[in-house]
């Protein structure tokens, strides 16, 4: 897919929205306003944003757990206000405050989420199956972390999708860390993408800090899937600037990750890199970038008011909620 | 009325529902050839896209069913043996069961997990279980346990039409059972127990193959003890009213269950009877179930699974009568 100027601007807007909403989430958790936990996306927003911004509204996505899917929801155009209110446990949340962290916006192809790592693969196969059966050219994009590649569910899901040539795109967000365990100590090869060969599907590695590179690679795989040529695997080498979970030490095995290393990683901040690129290519001016940033700051403020004013759910909402009619 | 096999009743229900609703499809291991002949002939009629032979991937099959269900289809995920549900507990117990409520009722999960349960065939621990208690311990799943061909068909049709995930567990010992099944369309609502035999001295609550076992014992004890046999047919939803009504009449109750005794349905139903009909009981509720051990294979299996003689002993003990020996003390026929 060749991106026009408006596409690149949209990509920037979504990337900054992902960043600022994720930062707001870190802050709101710190202020005690979240009812659950938070696994920040900070530093690794580009795969979620680049992998979703140019999808169709009716395409399905299974968001990755970093940022709990804030980058993915931002790119997909799903309702971020209700997603944040969900984290605040409010009735205005995407799941009425029942989960504390699940995105759910069926109108935008987000049919829900899970908490067990690796459970995305089989469910995404089901969405791919539904897309194939419906025959409307939809795709299912499944985002997963490097560590969930350790689950057997990945083998089952990738094998089934490849075998049935389902319109599924597997996007690995490889930030090098599975909770406290470096991927280099959990997988013997360099690239998760090399696993694609086992299923006879293309597997590519892209710079996951480069939101445009992610978008190009994912959309190439999406177009292939829409044509009925089956699944692909796109591995995004990305970074994580925060600990696995907010509030916990940033463990690497039994050592805490040094602050200097984080500073070194921050030289490859996906937002900064993309800003520089847009300026260098003359797509946006500093002033235009600042205008977008300002608009998003205002949106974040509005989101916080939305979260603040929402009521907590009454326990009665659970009374007849177990089953559908 | 015509008589058909239990396995044919299941097959007919699948075929009728697939004809009726294009969103219904079957996904599982060896469903085109059919391990237990319940899906036989369906691929010829509906094609491989609707009768999907999957690789041996229980997580994949169950998860794909969840995904497809949330996206508007009505999959029947065939897990072959009920024991194989243990391979995909995340998808069955944490996803299918819980997706609807957790996502604030915005998404439905209309699917059926179909599996052959039960022992008495000497197949050892991983091909003999009745994983009922496991399912019931995870609210959000309905649980259907048909005990004869009529129920097998009517309940499966209801299961496929239900907008929620349903575990439909059919018993391997019942596959060759014949019974009256009308040619005409019918469904059986969930949560309506069936009094399989009326009696006045003692109530036996049983599902699935245990209903056959209980009816056999009741027939042999006729003239000595009048046994009422109640089949809830679905354990979720559970028709407690019919059970309580029977208990109020007989004052004595045994819950007979093939699943492991500890934390089993006997404990659950027994406790609900205590909570709701204590004053009507003339004796403590009794449980008969599988021993608290892995189900052994071979000749040792019968020491673990409930046998007719075990039920007869429980009945006579409950009534303070002398025990007597049944003509046939053990149940079951070899499958293969």
């Amino acid at each position: 897919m060749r991106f026009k100027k408006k596409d690149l601007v949209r990509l920037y807007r979504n990337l900054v929205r992902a960043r600022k909403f994720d930062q707001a989430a870190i802050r709101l958790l710190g202020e005690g306003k979240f009812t659950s936990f938070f696994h920040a996306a900070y530093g690794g927003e580009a795969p979620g944003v680049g992998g979703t911004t140019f999808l169709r509204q009716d395409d399905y996505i299974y968001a990755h757990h970093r940022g709990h899917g804030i980058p993915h929801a931002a790119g997909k155009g799903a309702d971020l206000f209700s997603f944040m209110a969900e984290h605040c446990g409010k009735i205005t949340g995407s799941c009425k405050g029942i989960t504390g962290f699940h995105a759910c916006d069926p109108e935008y192809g987000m049919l829900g989420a899970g908490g067990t790592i690796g459970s995305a693969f089989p469910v995404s196969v089901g969405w791919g199956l539904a897309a194939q059966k419906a025959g409307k050219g939809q795709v299912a994009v499944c985002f997963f972390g490097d560590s969930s590649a350790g689950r057997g569910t990945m083998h089952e899901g990738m094998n089934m999708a490849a075998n049935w040539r389902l319109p599924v795109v597997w996007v690995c967000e490889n930030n090098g860390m599975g909770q406290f365990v470096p991927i280099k100590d959990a997988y013997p090869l360099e690239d998760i993408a090399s696993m694609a060969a086992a299923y006879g599907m293309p597997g590519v590695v892209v710079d996951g800090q480069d939101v445009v590179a992610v978008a190009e690679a994912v959309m190439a795989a999406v177009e292939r899937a829409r044509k009925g040529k089956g699944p692909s695997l796109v591995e995004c080498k990305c970074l994580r600037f925060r600990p696995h979970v907010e509030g916990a030490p940033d463990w690497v095995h039994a050592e805490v990750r040094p602050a200097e290393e984080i500073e070194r990683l921050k030289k490859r901040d996906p937002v900064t890199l993309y800003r520089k690129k847009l300026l260098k290519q003359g797509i946006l001016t500093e002033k235009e970038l600042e205008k977008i940033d300002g608009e998003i700051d205002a949106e974040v403020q509005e989101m916080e008011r939305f979260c603040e004013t929402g009521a907590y759910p009454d326990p009665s909402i659970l009374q007849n909620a177990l089953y559908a009619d | 009325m015509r008589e058909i096999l239990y396995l044919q009743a299941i097959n007919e229900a699948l075929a009728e529902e697939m004809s009726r609703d294009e969103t219904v499809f079957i996904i599982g291991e060896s469903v085109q050839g059919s391990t237990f002949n319940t899906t036989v002939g369906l691929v010829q009629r509906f094609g491989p896209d609707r009768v999907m032979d999957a690789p041996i991937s229980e997580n994949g099959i169950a998860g794909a069913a969840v995904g497809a269900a949330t996206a508007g289809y009505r999959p029947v995920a065939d897990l072959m043996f009920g024991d194989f549900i243990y391979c995909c507990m995340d998808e069955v117990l944490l996803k299918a069961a819980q997706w609807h409520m957790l996502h604030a009722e915005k998404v439905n999960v209309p699917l059926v997990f179909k599996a052959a349960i039960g022992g008495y065939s000497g197949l050892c621990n991983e091909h003999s279980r009745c994983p009922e208690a496991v399912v019931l311990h995870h609210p959000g799943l309905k649980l259907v346990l048909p005990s004869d061909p009529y129920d097998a068909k009517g309940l499966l049709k209801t299961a496929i039409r239900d907008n929620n995930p349903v575990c439909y567990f059919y018993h391997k010992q019942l596959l060759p059972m014949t019974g009256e099944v009308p040619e005409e369309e019918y469904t059986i609502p969930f949560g309506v127990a069936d009094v399989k035999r009326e009696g006045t001295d003692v109530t036996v609550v049983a599902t699935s193959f245990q209903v056959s076992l209980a009816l056999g014992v009741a027939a042999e004890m006729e003239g000595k003890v009048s046994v009422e046999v109640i089949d809830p047919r679905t354990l979720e939803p559970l028709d407690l009213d019919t059970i309580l009504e029977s208990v109020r009449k007989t004052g004595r109750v045994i819950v007979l269950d093939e699943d492991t005794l500890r934390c089993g349905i006997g404990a659950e139903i027994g406790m609900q009877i205590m909570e709701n009909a204590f004053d009507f009981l003339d004796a403590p509720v009794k449980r008969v179930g599988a021993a608290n051990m892995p189900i052994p294979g071979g000749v040792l299996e019968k020491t673990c699974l409930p046998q007719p003689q075990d039920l007869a002993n429980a009945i006579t003990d409950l009534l303070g009568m002398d025990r007597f020996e049944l003509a046939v003390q053990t149940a079951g026929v070899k499958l293969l």
Side-chain angles (χ1 to χ4, degrees):
Chain A
M1 159 171 195
R2 287 189 63 81
F3 299 118
K4 298 187 179 108
K5 180 183 169 179
K6 69 169 174 42
D7 297 326
L8 295 171
V9 173
R10 202 167 135 219
L11 207 47
Y12 178 75
R13 184 177 286 277
N14 285 346
L15 187 62
V16 176
R17 285 177 83 223
R19 166 63 52 86
K20 289 185 184 286
F21 276 79
D22 186 73
Q23 293 286 312
I26 295 170
R27 184 161 40 76
L28 289 168
L29 181 99
E31 291 169 3
K33 289 182 178 163
F34 273 19
T35 54
S36 186
F37 49 18
F38 190 63
H39 304 77
Y42 186 26
E45 298 96 334
V49 171
T52 53
T53 293
F54 304 108
L55 294 176
R56 280 171 28 180
Q57 185 176 330
D58 64 350
D59 288 332
Y60 300 111
I61 63 164
Y62 204 119
H64 180 41
H65 86 124
R66 294 247 67 91
H68 294 178
I70 286 175
H72 316 76
K76 196 69 172 48
D79 182 3
L80 284 181
F81 281 27
S82 69
F83 190 20
M84 298 296 280
E86 181 65 24
H87 284 82
C88 296
K90 298 296 180 75
I91 188 79
T92 46
S94 42
C95 298
K96 295 185 181 171
I98 295 170
T99 67
F101 67 100
H102 286 202
C104 185
D105 197 345
E107 290 287 297
Y108 286 84
M110 295 186 78
L111 298 179
T116 44
I117 293 298
S119 58
F121 300 107
V123 174
S124 298
V125 167
W127 292 340
L129 207 48
Q132 188 184 60
K133 285 177 182 297
K136 295 178 200 156
Q138 293 157 284
V139 298
V141 185
C142 174
F143 295 85
F144 64 100
D146 44 277
S147 234
S148 55
R151 286 287 312 277
T153 48
M154 190 195 78
H155 168 63
E156 296 193 12
M158 287 191 178
N159 182 47
M160 287 169 79
N163 194 40
W164 290 331
R165 296 172 82 83
L166 299 181
V168 177
V169 177
W170 307 108
V171 181
C172 178
E173 304 188 13
N174 184 351
N175 64 16
M177 290 291 296
Q179 196 177 11
F180 310 147
V181 181
I183 184 66
K184 67 178 173 59
D185 299 330
Y187 181 60
L189 302 182
E190 181 82 7
D191 300 325
I192 300 292
S194 62
M195 294 189 190
Y199 309 102
M201 65 179 170
V204 296
V205 177
V206 295
D207 178 0
Q209 298 306 96
D210 179 347
V211 71
V212 179
V214 172
E216 279 170 350
V218 172
M219 290 316 290
V222 165
E223 293 316 315
R224 189 175 182 277
R226 288 204 209 283
K227 286 180 192 154
K229 292 184 178 173
S232 310
L233 169 56
V234 177
E235 180 184 359
C236 309
K237 302 280 193 191
C238 60
L239 298 172
R240 193 184 90 191
F241 297 163
R242 299 289 297 182
H244 165 69
V245 67
E246 287 303 305
D250 195 355
W251 296 108
V252 179
H253 292 301
E255 307 285 328
V256 173
R257 198 153 56 145
E260 307 84 69
E261 191 187 330
I262 305 290
E263 287 314 306
R264 188 178 59 78
L265 297 180
K266 281 186 177 171
K267 290 181 180 140
R268 303 213 65 241
D269 182 314
V271 178
T272 314
L273 289 177
Y274 192 39
R275 277 181 74 100
K276 279 185 185 158
K277 193 182 219 175
L278 290 169
L279 285 167
K280 196 176 162 195
Q281 293 179 351
I283 291 163
L284 288 172
T285 62
E286 189 74 52
K287 209 172 159 185
E288 286 167 327
L289 289 167
E290 277 169 19
K291 182 168 176 283
I292 293 172
D293 295 353
E295 285 165 8
I296 295 164
D297 284 333
E299 193 188 350
V300 167
Q301 281 180 10
E302 201 186 325
M303 173 274 289
E304 287 191 45
R305 274 196 299 277
F306 178 81
C307 292
E308 193 69 43
T309 53
Y312 287 108
D314 188 272
S316 65
I317 67 162
L318 299 178
Q319 263 167 21
N320 294 307
L322 189 59
Y323 292 118
D325 294 334
Chain B
M1 199 188 293
R2 66 163 184 160
E3 289 202 351
I4 61 172
L5 301 172
Y6 181 87
L7 69 91
Q8 285 176 307
I10 294 170
N11 185 271
E12 277 191 9
L14 291 167
E16 286 178 20
E17 292 308 299
M18 289 176 82
S19 299
R20 182 178 170 270
D21 182 349
E22 284 194 350
T23 65
V24 178
F25 70 96
I26 301 170
I27 181 169
E29 294 154 14
S30 302
V31 289
Q32 294 179 1
S34 193
T35 310
F36 298 109
N37 290 324
T38 55
T39 53
V40 76
L42 296 177
V43 69
Q44 289 84 349
R45 200 166 150 194
F46 299 101
D49 290 345
R50 293 185 68 197
V51 185
M52 304 185 75
D53 264 349
I56 295 182
S57 301
E58 284 81 7
N59 298 98
I61 292 163
V66 172
T70 57
Y73 288 83
R74 289 184 179 270
V76 176
D78 196 322
L79 297 171
M80 198 187 297
F81 282 85
D83 314 67
F84 300 170
I85 207 168
Y86 291 86
C87 300
C88 51
M89 283 206 172
D90 183 16
E91 285 71 26
V92 176
L93 305 179
L94 298 180
K95 297 297 178 297
Q98 307 190 353
W99 200 278
H100 173 76
M101 192 197 93
L102 288 179
H103 295 102
E105 304 178 72
K106 287 153 83 173
V107 184
N108 290 349
V109 192
L111 62 78
V112 176
F113 292 120
K114 168 181 174 285
I117 58 162
Y120 303 92
S121 308
L123 302 182
C124 203
N125 64 325
E126 287 155 336
H127 293 81
S128 302
R129 292 200 60 87
C130 290
E132 300 147 17
V134 171
V135 168
L136 289 168
H137 209 67
H138 295 80
L141 292 163
K142 297 188 179 180
L143 177 57
V144 181
L145 295 145
S147 63
D148 60 33
Y150 180 83
D151 289 354
K153 183 172 179 183
L155 291 169
L156 181 51
K157 286 168 73 79
T158 304
I160 292 170
R161 294 181 198 184
D162 200 288
N163 288 326
N164 297 282
V166 179
C167 285
Y168 178 88
F169 291 165
Y170 61 104
H171 202 290
K172 296 189 285 291
Q173 284 289 322
L174 296 173
L175 290 167
M177 180 190 201
T178 54
E180 289 190 341
V181 175
E183 309 254 7
E184 307 81 58
E185 161 88 19
Y186 71 97
T187 57
I188 299 172
F190 287 174
V192 180
D194 192 23
V195 182
K196 296 291 184 188
R197 181 191 172 102
E198 289 193 18
T200 51
D201 295 334
V202 59
T203 300
V204 175
V205 180
T207 57
S208 194
F209 178 57
Q210 298 305 311
V211 174
S212 292
L213 194 150
L215 289 173
V217 171
E220 199 168 336
M221 295 179 97
E222 194 170 297
K224 301 184 184 74
V225 184
S226 171
V227 180
E228 178 146 299
V229 179
I230 307 247
D231 176 5
R233 300 198 285 196
T234 59
L235 289 179
E236 168 62 15
L238 176 68
D239 178 2
L240 189 64
D241 289 346
T242 300
I243 296 169
L244 295 178
E245 199 180 312
S246 178
V247 171
R248 285 188 206 106
K249 178 173 71 175
T250 63
R252 290 180 173 83
V253 60
I254 294 165
V255 186
L256 170 67
D257 181 33
E258 192 178 325
D259 195 358
T260 307
L261 195 69
R262 184 167 64 209
C263 298
I265 190 66
E268 176 60 31
I269 292 181
M271 199 63 209
Q272 291 201 36
I273 292 168
M274 299 275 278
E275 287 168 344
N276 292 285
F278 184 78
D279 292 342
F280 293 89
L281 289 171
D282 294 325
V285 176
K286 236 177 162 44
R287 291 179 294 166
V288 177
N292 295 326
M293 61 167 76
I295 302 170
V299 298
L300 295 172
E301 183 198 59
K302 63 176 178 289
T303 65
C304 173
L305 298 183
Q307 302 298 334
Q309 188 63 55
D310 298 328
L311 178 62
N313 292 347
I315 291 170
T316 46
D317 290 357
L318 197 58
L319 290 162
M321 295 165 60
D322 289 336
R323 287 185 176 186
F324 65 93
E325 290 192 0
L326 297 175
V328 182
Q329 295 174 4
T330 56
V333 290
K334 246 182 126 323
L335 266 192
L336 300 167

